[in-house]
């Protein structure tokens, strides 16, 4: 197992006014390895946004950070848990108790936190 800690940004977008974009920018600036995934196409900081609808096989995901609201998470929950991340971060507005409990049942750490704050304060 490699030491790389790859973060999956769920809900990635090329729109600079969205928090998912700000998170990608901060990850990029701080040298945090990340993979953007969502239903929007395009690139963020040189990385192609993967199509969430294709549920691409991904390995060695350390952290999943959510930028899609609970009303849009349902069809992706089992896929995201199947990636076996060590933790899932529910950013403000993405809190989903059912998803969180499913993740905990699989031994995944669950945080209700803000990536931008965590990165800015060295808690990531």
């Amino acid at each position: 197992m490699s030491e790389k800690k790859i973060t999956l940004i769920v809900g990635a977008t090329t729109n600079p006014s969205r928090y998912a974009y700000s998170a990608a920018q901060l990850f990029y600036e701080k040298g945090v390895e990340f993979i953007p995934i969502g239903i929007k196409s395009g690139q963020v900081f040189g990385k192609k946004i993967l199509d969430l609808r294709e549920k691409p096989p991904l390995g060695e995901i350390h952290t999943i950070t959510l930028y899609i609201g609970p009303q849009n998470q349902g069809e992706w929950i089992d896929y995201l848990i199947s990636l076996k991340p060590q933790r899932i971060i529910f950013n403000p507005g993405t809190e989903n108790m059912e998803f969180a409990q499913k993740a905990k049942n699989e031994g995944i750490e669950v945080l209700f936190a803000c990536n931008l704050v965590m990165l800015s304060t060295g808690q990531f």
Side-chain angles (χ1 to χ4, degrees):
M1 182 107 171
S2 81
E3 289 301 306
K4 268 199 202 160
K5 291 187 173 179
I6 299 171
T7 297
L8 187 66
I9 302 175
V10 180
T13 176
T14 57
N15 182 342
S17 69
R18 308 292 299 179
Y19 285 115
Y21 182 90
S22 300
Q25 183 173 13
L26 211 46
F27 286 140
Y28 176 76
E29 290 170 359
K30 295 199 174 274
V32 175
E33 195 62 42
F34 70 92
I35 297 171
I37 191 168
I39 58 168
K40 304 263 188 336
S41 59
Q43 286 198 350
V44 283
F45 303 96
K47 295 180 181 278
K48 182 180 188 299
I49 297 174
L50 300 180
D51 190 340
L52 184 58
R53 292 166 291 215
E54 292 175 3
K55 299 180 182 171
L58 299 168
E60 295 195 39
I61 298 297
H62 180 275
T63 300
I64 290 176
T65 184
L66 296 170
Y67 286 98
I68 55 175
Q71 70 280 7
N72 297 319
Q73 295 169 5
E75 65 184 295
W76 317 120
I77 292 174
D78 290 339
Y79 164 67
L80 294 171
I81 288 174
S82 79
L83 297 176
K84 301 189 182 337
Q86 291 182 30
R87 67 180 176 178
I88 296 177
I89 299 172
F90 289 84
N91 285 279
T94 68
E95 299 89 347
N96 180 334
M97 291 309 163
E98 181 186 336
F99 187 176
Q101 192 56 56
K102 269 188 158 178
K104 286 178 184 173
N105 291 347
E106 294 295 322
I108 299 167
E109 179 187 6
V110 170
L111 296 175
F112 294 96
C114 174
N115 271 143
L116 302 175
V117 171
M118 290 174 74
L119 285 159
S120 301
T121 57
Q123 298 176 63
F124 191 81

